[in-house]
Structures are given as C-alpha cells and as structure tokens.
Amino acid sequence: MAGLRKDFLWGGAVAANQLEGGFQDGGKGLSVADVMAAGANGVEREITDGIVAGKNYPNHEAIDFYHRYKDDVKLFADLGLNCFRTSIAWTRIFPNGDETEPNEAGLQFYDDLFDELHKYGIEPVITLSHFEMPYHLVKTYGGWRSRKLIDFYVRYATTVFKRFKGKVHYWMTFNEINNQTGLNKFALFTNSGILVRPDEDAAEVMYQAGHYEVVASALAVQIGHEIDPTNQIGCMVAMGPTYPATTDPKDALKAMREMQRNYWFADVQVKGKYPSWLVQYQKDHFNLDITLEDLDVLKEGTVDYIGFSYYASHVVKASENEPVSYVDPLHTKGVANDKLERSDWGWEIDPIGLRVALNWFAERYDKPMFIVENGLGAIDTPDAAGHVHDPYRIDYLKKHIEQMKLAVEVDGVDLMGYTPWGFIDLVSAGTGQMDKRYGMIYVDKNDAGEGSLERSKKDSFYWYRNVIKTNGEEL
Ligand code: P53
C-alpha cells in the first residue's frame, strides 16, 4: 500500500468571518455574518435588519485573529501544518461590494497574513466567499437574485487573483455552495444573501441565484487560470452521503434523488453542464434566466479539484405521497440512523461515510479531491490547571482519517489533503456559539462573549502534530 502522497496537504480550516473579528477595522464593510445574532444549541440564529443595539453578534469580535494573527500563525507552525485554509472577507476588499476600486487596507491585511504563513512554510488555501458576502449587496440588489452580482464577484475575484499571485496557489470559489439546495433560511442567507419573500417560490429563487453563482464561479476559474496557470481552483460542497432507510426500492430512488438534488452544484462546476434531470425539472417548473452564453461559460470554467466538507451522513425514507419528481426538499424528512451515535448537536457520526463520499466523488467526477472540513463540535471543560483533555475529538478524527486512508490506499482515490475544521476554536456558523468547539487550540471565550481570548493547546494538538509528522502513519 502506497500511503498518502508525500506532498499531502495537512492543515486546518477556518473562515474569515468566524475568527477574524475586527468587523469594522481597516475599512471593512458589513457582511451577512455581521447581522446574525447568536443562537444556541437547537436555537436558530436571528438575522436582523442591519445591526440592532443590544443584540449579541458573535462574529463582530470572533476570536480577534485580525489583531492576533502573528502569534496564532506561530502556533499553527508549532502544530506542524503545511497548509492553512481560510477565506478572504469580501467586505475587506470591497466593503459594499459594488465599488469599482478595492480597499487597500483590506488587501494589505491579507498580504501580511500570507507572508506570515509563508515564513513558516505554510501554504494558504483560500475560499473566495465563505458565508460573508457584502450586506450592501443584499439590501440594494436582493443578493444573488440579481445578475449584477456576477460582475461584482468577478471584479473581487480578479482583484485578489492578481494581488496574491505567487502567494496563493489553492483556491475555492464558494463555500458549501450546495447548502441552499435544502431551501432553509440560514443557508439561503449565508450562501446567497436571500431572505425569501412571501410572494416568492423559494426553489425558483434558489435555482436562479445558484445559476448566477455557478456562472460567476466558472468565470472566476477561467480568470484565475489566465492570471496564473499554476492556480488550482476548486469547488466546495458540503458532503453527507444519503442512505435509503430500507430495502424498499422507493427508498433507494429517494436516496439517489437526494444525492442528485444535493450535488447538482458540483455537477455543474466539475462537468461544466447541468445534469439532465435538472434541465427537465427547471423547464417543467420555473422560468429562469439562463442564457446560451452562460452555458458556454460553464463549459469553459470547470474546476481543478473537488473541495468538500464532511461531518455526517443522512438517511431518507420515501413517503406515501412522494412527488413523482422526488425533488422537493421540503417534502423530505430525515430518518435517524440507529447504527450511529450522534454529537451533542445531533450530527450523526459516521467515519465510513467519509470513505463512501470519497468513492462516490471519485466515480462521478474523476478529479482530485481535498477534504477541506471535518470535525466534531463538542463542549470542552478545562481541568483545574486550565488544560483541555479531549479524547472524544481525537477518537473522531482518528476514525475519519483511518477511513480516508482506506479510500486512498485500498480504493485508489486521488486525495490532495485534509484540513480539519475549526482547529482553533471559533464562532460556530450554525449557532453562533463559542462553546461548540472543534479546536485543537482552545480559545478562552464563552457563548456570552466572556473570556481572556487566550490560546492554549488541547491534547488533540499534540496528537495531530504527530499525525502530520508521520504523514498519517501514526494515528
Ligand atoms: P457549525 C451546516 C451543515 C454542514 C456544515 O458548522 C455547515 C453547516 C452550517 O452550519 O457549515 C460548515 O459551525 C461551514 C463552516 C461551519 C462548519 O461547517 O454550524 O463551512 O463555516 O462552521 C461547522 O458547527
């Protein structure tokens, strides 16, 4: 067995809005993340109309990486990372999103950050848009409902491709672009800056916004390659394989359709065209603005690799009155998997599902893959000396890396790297909590926003350092 590539990218993943803070520093504009108040376990985050006094907006300060990045990068180097996945906050570069000239202070911040990373031999892996589009674009243009967003995004992408040429080689266009296929409020807002109005059909709005996004993504891929042919530009989708609940063929069809429905974004970004079921579905149900020119753009802007997050798998069961098309997500109720345990937040823990995912992508797309998120959100309790012992996290990561290695060594999948999510504690996207922790580095701050923000190493830090050092041989 060959083992992992010698140049395997071992890293950690974060997103600008969830760790930087400094939400008004250096001329930064408001992003969608800045108007989301904190929720709690099982309590949705409130999306407010602008910033409302008295509410707790956890992303405003986050873990203050904006001011502490030099010390933090030193810690990342100590952990032994050879890559670091973060995003560029679009609102640091174009504070409102529709300016013609970028904000120099924002560009300078990332120049300095990337230089600091390279000082330690850490390669940045950059998401262009990770749940942080300019709020002004939401208010003025209705978010990605508007075709104008393509131009704004392309201007932003072109600016950063040019500025960071030679400093950044790995890119992804949109984080978890497919979350919105479930039509839930949180995802439509974070992916597309859309709050569905009562007179709108959520599915139609999503397919239209999603179309403009895949066109923007394809244009960015083309431009990114022109600016630097060595750029590796990927898509990024949230992956959770869907299993049928029973041996009933209707459940098999349902599960298959769920996969098709959830991964059409990747189909378009990787293959350069819409899958046939979706062409038919869109024709039957909606009146969308999709031009022949757009379809050419999609063909010319296919991605170099598949970036994906993996946390959990899902199970579905067909219902009595299942629609013939099997496409309606509002009709789909997940079924609990009685073979799996769940995290405290109800996410089903399924290491084998990661092997399933890697094989599924390999067969469907035949492109290199990059696991850019994986991890366990858990409550950590420091001991009397302030140290966090987190065997549960080590156990989760170890079992997932084992399955990842089987997919590479036994199944022969082409895997570029692995960057566990939130390896330094940060703000949860889904709940806005600090106490839902994924980190190997503890950050002293709680859900109420109290704490010294001091960093300390958890047991998992030392464990992961050795995993990296042995290129995954010692788990
Ligand atoms: P949190 C939902 C389902 C799967 C992944 O999530 C998700 C979400 C959104 O909550 O998001 C990704 O923080 C995302 C990260 C996020 C991470 O998973 O809700 O790319 O921004 O923090 C974990 O526990």
Side-chain angles (χ1 to χ4, degrees):
M1 281 191 277
L4 300 173
R5 293 176 176 196
K6 291 284 163 278
D7 60 351
F8 195 79
L9 292 162
W10 287 104
V14 299
N17 75 93
Q18 290 171 258
L19 93 160
E20 285 178 4
F23 85 114
Q24 288 177 316
D25 290 341
K28 182 184 168 297
L30 280 192
S31 79
V32 292
D34 294 323
V35 298
M36 296 177 64
N41 191 353
V43 182
E44 260 188 18
R45 299 183 70 172
E46 187 190 352
I47 300 168
T48 57
D49 188 6
I51 294 175
V52 175
K55 302 243 179 225
N56 172 15
Y57 295 101
N59 302 69
H60 288 185
E61 180 193 53
I63 62 161
D64 195 33
F65 179 78
Y66 186 78
H67 298 107
R68 295 165 193 248
Y69 74 92
K70 285 195 178 166
D71 287 340
D72 284 341
V73 170
K74 207 180 285 173
L75 261 178
F76 305 166
D78 187 10
L79 179 55
L81 305 188
N82 60 32
C83 78
F84 171 61
R85 175 182 177 230
T86 187
S87 57
I88 295 176
W90 186 345
T91 49
R92 289 201 189 281
I93 314 302
F94 288 97
N96 284 326
D98 57 0
E99 299 91 341
T100 50
E101 294 304 321
N103 170 37
E104 176 55 31
L107 289 165
Q108 191 60 50
F109 170 69
Y110 292 105
D111 251 333
D112 295 345
L113 171 61
F114 300 153
D115 287 345
E116 199 64 22
L117 290 164
H118 283 299
K119 208 162 99 183
Y120 298 99
I122 301 173
E123 188 73 33
V125 175
I126 298 302
T127 316
L128 289 169
S129 180
H130 190 135
F131 302 173
E132 56 212 341
M133 63 180 289
Y135 187 58
H136 174 77
L137 298 182
V138 174
K139 295 301 275 185
T140 310
Y141 301 89
W144 282 93
R145 283 186 191 87
S146 166
R147 184 177 271 277
K148 292 205 176 86
L149 272 272
I150 298 176
D151 292 340
F152 301 144
Y153 178 89
V154 166
R155 187 180 301 152
Y156 157 59
T158 306
T159 303
V160 296
F161 283 140
K162 280 192 181 150
R163 175 70 170 234
F164 303 122
K165 179 175 174 172
K167 288 191 187 182
V168 178
H169 302 97
Y170 298 95
W171 305 86
M172 280 167 275
T173 54
F174 289 93
N175 184 64
E176 291 190 340
I177 190 168
N178 62 326
N179 281 355
Q180 56 195 324
T181 61
L183 304 181
N184 72 66
K185 185 177 171 184
F186 170 85
L188 279 164
F189 190 67
T190 50
N191 281 146
S192 297
I194 285 173
L195 291 167
V196 178
R197 296 187 291 254
D199 62 319
E200 288 180 321
D201 172 356
E204 181 155 25
V205 174
M206 186 276 289
Y207 283 114
Q208 186 63 71
H211 174 69
Y212 293 147
E213 287 162 13
V214 288
V215 171
S217 171
L219 287 167
V221 170
Q222 289 180 41
I223 294 163
H225 285 153
E226 276 160 27
I227 292 171
D228 184 351
T230 69
N231 272 335
Q232 294 283 304
I233 310 173
C235 58
M236 191 318 196
V237 291
M239 164 45 100
T242 300
Y243 308 138
T246 72
T247 50
D248 184 341
K250 277 164 67 188
D251 290 350
L253 181 60
K254 172 92 185 175
M256 187 191 72
R257 181 43 54 93
E258 276 295 294
M259 292 298 278
Q260 292 175 317
R261 189 179 61 71
N262 276 325
Y263 301 102
W264 72 263
F265 275 101
D267 289 346
V268 177
Q269 291 176 294
V270 179
K271 297 178 177 175
K273 63 183 174 90
Y274 277 88
S276 55
W277 72 267
L278 185 51
V279 173
Q280 188 60 45
Y281 187 73
Q282 289 179 337
K283 214 185 309 171
D284 291 346
H285 293 84
F286 314 118
N287 185 15
L288 301 176
D289 169 31
I290 298 179
T291 67
L292 289 175
E293 199 191 346
D294 291 344
L295 298 179
D296 282 339
V297 168
L298 296 180
K299 254 185 248 156
E300 299 302 318
T302 57
V303 294
D304 301 311
Y305 66 92
I306 295 125
F308 71 94
S309 62
Y310 177 78
Y311 293 93
S313 57
H314 311 285
V315 178
V316 289
K317 176 151 186 42
S319 63
E320 285 304 315
N321 57 344
E322 190 68 41
V324 180
S325 66
Y326 281 76
V327 174
D328 180 5
L330 302 175
H331 200 88
T332 304
K333 286 210 173 49
V335 178
N337 189 330
D338 60 9
K339 302 276 188 249
L340 300 177
E341 294 189 354
R342 291 160 173 259
S343 77
D344 289 343
W345 278 262
W347 295 20
E348 278 166 348
I349 300 171
D350 178 13
I352 292 175
L354 177 57
R355 186 176 180 186
V356 172
L358 285 161
N359 276 273
W360 189 82
F361 277 138
E363 291 199 349
R364 197 174 180 91
Y365 301 135
D366 198 21
K367 290 257 178 163
M369 290 173 277
F370 197 165
I371 303 167
V372 295
E373 288 184 28
N374 173 232
L376 177 70
I379 299 275
D380 290 330
T381 313
D383 66 15
H387 192 96
V388 173
H389 305 287
D390 54 350
Y392 36 91
R393 185 168 292 110
I394 294 173
D395 183 64
Y396 178 103
L397 295 170
K398 178 173 149 66
K399 286 180 174 150
H400 284 77
I401 295 173
E402 271 166 9
Q403 294 299 320
M404 166 183 109
K405 284 175 63 187
L406 287 171
V408 172
E409 294 172 359
V410 179
D411 309 333
V413 309
D414 185 2
L415 185 65
M416 298 159 61
Y418 177 74
T419 60
W421 175 253
F423 71 105
I424 178 165
D425 291 345
L426 39 58
V427 177
S428 157
T431 68
Q433 291 176 278
M434 267 307 299
D435 284 329
K436 184 183 188 186
R437 297 173 190 276
Y438 289 85
M440 301 162 187
I441 299 169
Y442 187 80
V443 176
D444 179 29
K445 183 173 178 181
N446 64 18
D447 283 355
E450 304 151 349
S452 65
L453 284 168
E454 246 170 63
R455 281 57 165 152
S456 57
K457 299 169 189 174
K458 305 182 195 177
D459 286 356
S460 53
F461 182 98
Y462 301 99
W463 171 82
Y464 189 52
R465 179 156 72 183
N466 191 54
V467 171
I468 298 175
K469 204 161 98 196
T470 62
N471 201 26
E473 288 303 310
E474 285 174 25
L475 292 180

